[in-house]
Amino acid sequence: MKTVQAPCSSCIRKTKHDVLFETSQQRGEETRDSYALISCGGCSTVSMGHQRLWVDDGSIDQAYYPSPVSRKMPSWTFWLTLGLMKNKEEGALGALLMEIFQAVDGGQYRLAAMGIRALLEQVMIFKIGDLPTFDKKLDEFQKQGYISLIQRDSMRATLDVGDAAMHRGFRPTEQELSIALDVVEGVLLRKLSPNYRLGLIWWLVADEQNKGDGRHVKYFEGNRSAHWRSLDMNLFDGL
Ligand SMILES: [Zn+2]
């Protein structure tokens, strides 16, 4: 079977893919389109590759569906969607988060950014009630202890990305979108479902002499600990 290197949206990297089916079409003089149904050799995820050849200059546009994003939808999104975590409002938030990931998968970054903005606003309204502006909502959200000052800044920046997409047609980069999704996932995980607790699992292993594991503590030197603590006081003190 013919194989090609292609990005896999489940493995989140380029892998060898089997080509299950391919076809091409020439509809006009200018372009020739080739389509390939491909299956990841690592995880069997099926996707479609589309190549457009511009006859004039021989240049090629290439796209994949789902698009090769650098992150997966978190598995707890399904719980949210089903409303299993707590209640109906959370179910609606989960459904919106799922649509955001579908937009990311489809390369629709502007729509994803707008969705993220809407989702963050809904979470805030859900928690603190409706207030006239984003800044007032953010202030209150922070005041009631749902986010730290630094989280407030990153939420503000994330809302700005959504705003720019909505009002100025701004298209966020994959990295900007990825940061926005980090913020959303963090806020959702920590602030919804008070009956669930976020945990960290440590695995205690027998002492070893040679590998030197545990020597990587640079991130903690000087006044770095104050920085980490400012990100999330409760989590830091808990640890
Ligand atoms: Zn894969």
Side-chain angles (χ1 to χ4, degrees):
M1 187 175 277
K2 183 178 169 185
T3 60
V4 290
Q5 284 287 327
C8 171
S9 58
S10 289
C11 295
I12 316 287
R13 59 190 167 86
K14 269 198 170 182
T15 60
K16 195 189 265 187
H17 281 68
D18 291 331
V19 178
L20 305 174
F21 174 78
E22 59 184 331
T23 185
S24 58
Q25 300 179 335
Q26 183 148 10
R27 290 217 173 145
E29 297 289 296
E30 289 151 12
T31 57
R32 180 169 186 81
D33 293 283
S34 305
Y35 303 88
L37 198 63
I38 53 178
S39 166
C40 172
C43 70
S44 304
T45 293
V46 174
S47 50
M48 190 185 80
H50 172 212
Q51 235 183 32
R52 172 162 291 170
L53 169 72
W54 293 87
V55 178
D56 245 10
D57 60 1
S59 66
I60 289 174
D61 292 338
Q62 188 139 26
Y64 294 91
Y65 306 93
S67 77
V69 289
S70 55
R71 66 191 299 138
K72 287 193 223 184
M73 184 169 71
S75 55
W76 47 262
T77 309
F78 289 108
W79 310 343
L80 265 186
T81 311
L82 295 172
L84 292 184
M85 274 178 151
K86 192 86 170 66
N87 54 35
K88 235 173 47 198
E89 283 89 348
E90 291 186 10
L93 294 174
L96 179 52
L97 183 60
M98 201 175 263
E99 288 187 16
I100 290 167
F101 272 98
Q102 284 163 355
V104 174
D105 274 355
Q108 295 136 10
Y109 290 0
R110 293 181 194 84
L111 286 180
M114 291 178 214
I116 288 170
R117 176 188 186 272
L119 181 59
L120 285 178
E121 191 174 17
Q122 283 177 28
V123 173
M124 288 193 288
I125 293 173
F126 178 41
K127 285 293 177 188
I128 53 145
D130 203 359
L131 294 169
T133 63
F134 268 150
D135 280 320
K136 287 208 165 68
K137 289 188 189 93
L138 278 171
D139 287 344
E140 191 58 29
F141 206 53
Q142 189 202 335
K143 215 166 88 190
Q144 292 196 19
Y146 289 113
I147 45 171
S148 69
L149 187 62
I150 287 187
Q151 284 171 316
R152 184 198 186 284
D153 290 345
S154 55
M155 246 177 107
R156 176 74 256 180
T158 299
L159 290 166
D160 286 344
V161 170
D163 241 16
M166 202 145 137
H167 299 299
R168 298 191 290 282
F170 169 73
R171 187 180 196 271
T173 62
E174 190 174 328
Q175 200 198 359
E176 282 164 328
L177 205 57
S178 185
I179 292 170
L181 285 168
D182 283 343
V183 172
V184 159
E185 286 177 15
V187 167
L188 278 179
L189 256 187
R190 306 284 317 239
K191 308 312 164 196
L192 293 176
S193 306
N195 294 336
Y196 288 80
R197 295 178 63 194
L198 196 60
L200 252 179
I201 298 173
W202 293 84
W203 190 330
L204 184 65
V205 296
D207 277 351
E208 49 77 28
Q209 302 299 323
N210 306 321
K211 286 193 289 188
D213 289 348
R215 72 186 184 281
H216 302 289
V217 293
K218 268 216 167 79
Y219 61 91
F220 222 64
E221 284 170 1
N223 59 359
R224 299 289 290 159
S225 59
H227 166 72
W228 296 119
R229 188 167 188 269
S230 71
L231 292 173
D232 194 323
M233 257 185 299
N234 295 336
L235 178 63
F236 186 91
D237 294 345
L239 286 172

